[in-house]
Amino acid sequence: MKIGDIKNIKIARKYSNALIESAIESDKVSKIYDDLLFIAETIKSNEMLQNALLNPVVTMNDKKEIAQKVFAVHVDKITMDFILLLLDNNRLNILDEVINQYSASYNEYRNIAKPVVISAIELNDNQKSRIIQKLEYKLSKKVEPEYTINPDIIGGLVIEIGDKTIDCSLKTKFDTMKKQLTKGNRYGNN
């Protein structure tokens, strides 16, 4: 990760924290989250809008006027004021990272964990249900997993939750056994 990326993440976290606090105070956490996703998708899908809002040649007043015409009727006032603040501070370019940070805070606020469950093969509904039950019990949170397939793990599961990884894959177990065997046998003989 580049230093500029780390700096943007820290800045985005500050903006996001201020926004989530405002959203909680006004009991609009979900609405503002939906608004942010709508704004980001609208900007991404419209190249002309993207160019107008991010182009340094376009005046700040024009950018704000464009944003208000496009978004004001569709989003909450808090969200609109936040977008105008990002524009004022020339920070609209970090909107995606602000949304990532807001999403993490939003999930924490709603007591939701979003782990990534990696398996070697497609899991059936019964297996997915058991995984969700066990994770909800362990984490004391509602679990909304994302499932991916990676045949390289051979079997078992790898579960990534935030910055933690639970690796119960056969590949890891085989690698661990291989390391132990190459060090010498269990009786200390080489």
Side-chain angles (χ1 to χ4, degrees), residues 15 82-92 95 98:
Y15 279 101
F82 180 75
I83 294 302
L84 295 175
L85 176 68
L86 289 178
L87 284 168
D88 275 337
N89 294 332
N90 200 26
R91 296 285 187 198
L92 194 63
L95 180 60
V98 169

Side-chain angles (χ1 to χ4, degrees), residues 119-121 150-157 169-172 174-175:
S119 60
I121 58 171
N150 180 353
D152 293 341
I153 69 169
I154 303 169
L157 297 173
S169 68
L170 287 178
K171 180 182 181 341
T172 299
F174 289 150
D175 289 346

Side-chain angles (χ1 to χ4, degrees), residues 115-174:
V116 176
V117 178
I118 304 164
S119 60
I121 58 171
E122 180 74 30
L123 299 173
N124 65 40
D125 289 342
N126 184 38
Q127 291 167 321
K128 289 178 180 180
S129 179
R130 286 193 354 240
I131 290 167
I132 289 171
Q133 285 176 335
K134 287 181 180 184
L135 287 174
E136 285 181 343
Y137 177 76
K138 285 270 191 203
L139 300 172
S140 298
K141 292 184 178 205
K142 181 174 177 11
V143 174
E144 296 176 357
E146 173 188 329
Y147 297 97
T148 62
I149 297 172
N150 180 353
D152 293 341
I153 69 169
I154 303 169
L157 297 173
V158 176
I159 301 171
E160 298 172 348
I161 306 171
D163 59 353
K164 296 177 184 164
T165 301
I166 302 167
D167 190 341
C168 302
S169 68
L170 287 178
K171 180 182 181 341
T172 299
K173 289 179 181 178
F174 289 150

